[in-house]
Amino acid sequence: VGFVAEIGERLVGCGFMTFSPTREFAEKGNFWISVSATHLRQGIGSQILVRLMEAARALGVREMESLRSLESPSCACDFLRDRGFEESQRLHTWECEIGRAVAIFSTVFARLHRQGKVPPDARIIPLSEAPLDQVRELVASNMGFAEQMVGRMLEVGEHGYSRTFSKVAMHGERLVGASLATYQKAFVTTEANAVIPEYRNSWVSIALKDALARSQQERGIPRTRFLCNPALHPDTEKTARRLDGRLVSVRLNFRLKL
């Protein structure tokens, strides 16, 4: 479902909503609204939101949630809060020096090796060599990401999840974890670190972090970034502080029960 706002023949705003699991059996609507910078605070976004909410209710949608996370603080966050939306997810972006990350991750991984906690048939491979359908399923089921979104990011290569920097953990022929990263010139950002439940708190997570950090260092990238939800991944927050990381952004998602 989508709507556009026009003044004369000029497009000044738009909004759309996708539904899950399907439009015919819609339970949740993910929406996005955009308004021209020259037409902000004129009620255009509010009108588009009202039309989206009407369409959602007509289809029996129980909950609306922002499709993308929003920079906080921002006018967009205030806009949704003022209309009854509540924060549904908080994402922190941390940045740290790659040399310190390699030093710490490599030390921990080497210790696990000495303790015999890394299986002899364990290996880390680049995303380019991994079965993408299995990676998509792993990340969607363990991170709560929309499977369609993960699929698109995997399909577009270096413009989505980098097949060079992203890493996949294998135990024999079994895929047991993945670290998916994006590359934007000066930075590699780890956006998802998913491990199947029975391999959590094992060698998998640190092996992925170590391999990804070393690949960045080898290519001369001085700093690394990673995302985390502090409520779901407190250990990642602790790691960021241990790395003397700097919190560079906070992004929020919002939802509304209909």
Side-chain angles (χ1 to χ4, degrees), residues 69-181:
S69 55
L70 304 171
E71 194 78 26
S72 177
S74 67
C75 293
C77 290
D78 293 339
F79 171 84
L80 292 177
R81 285 195 183 99
D82 290 345
R83 286 151 183 82
F85 283 79
E86 298 179 347
E87 180 183 325
S88 61
Q89 178 175 254
R90 176 177 292 257
L91 292 175
H92 289 175
T93 299
W94 291 90
E95 180 182 312
C96 65
E97 296 297 323
I98 194 64
R100 181 160 176 77
V102 169
I104 290 178
F105 295 153
S106 295
T107 297
V108 176
F109 189 51
R111 183 168 65 244
L112 292 179
H113 256 296
R114 292 195 301 271
Q115 295 172 346
K117 295 182 178 180
V118 181
D121 54 350
R123 57 196 173 99
I124 303 296
I125 62 175
L127 181 63
S128 59
E129 299 177 12
L132 297 185
D133 56 337
Q134 293 183 40
V135 174
R136 181 182 65 247
E137 183 179 351
L138 169 74
V139 174
S141 60
N142 288 275
M143 298 293 294
F145 292 178
E147 191 165 344
Q148 288 182 334
M149 183 274 288
V150 177
R152 286 196 297 269
M153 291 289 284
L154 288 170
E155 290 168 1
V156 295
E158 295 303 309
H159 296 290
Y161 292 133
S162 169
R163 298 189 183 184
T164 302
F165 290 106
S166 298
K167 305 298 179 184
V168 173
M170 306 291 294
H171 186 184
E173 297 303 314
R174 186 183 185 190
L175 190 152
V176 296
S179 281
L180 301 182

Side-chain angles (χ1 to χ4, degrees), residues 201 209 226 228-230 232-241:
N201 301 314
K209 292 174 182 176
F226 51 92
C228 75
N229 181 326
L232 298 178
H233 308 111
D235 289 345
T236 304
E237 289 276 297
K238 292 178 183 178
T239 299
R241 294 184 172 88

Side-chain angles (χ1 to χ4, degrees), residues 50-70:
V50 167
R51 296 295 296 275
L52 290 173
M53 293 173 70
E54 291 174 348
R57 288 192 175 100
L59 289 169
V61 171
R62 299 177 181 178
E63 180 181 271
M64 289 177 60
E65 185 168 16
S66 54
L67 181 63
R68 301 177 185 174
S69 55
L70 304 171

Side-chain angles (χ1 to χ4, degrees), residues 182-202:
T182 56
Y183 179 44
Q184 304 90 16
K185 295 183 179 179
F187 296 102
V188 172
T189 302
T190 303
E191 302 204 10
N193 195 59
V195 179
I196 64 175
E198 64 201 85
Y199 280 80
R200 292 171 188 168
N201 301 314
S202 72

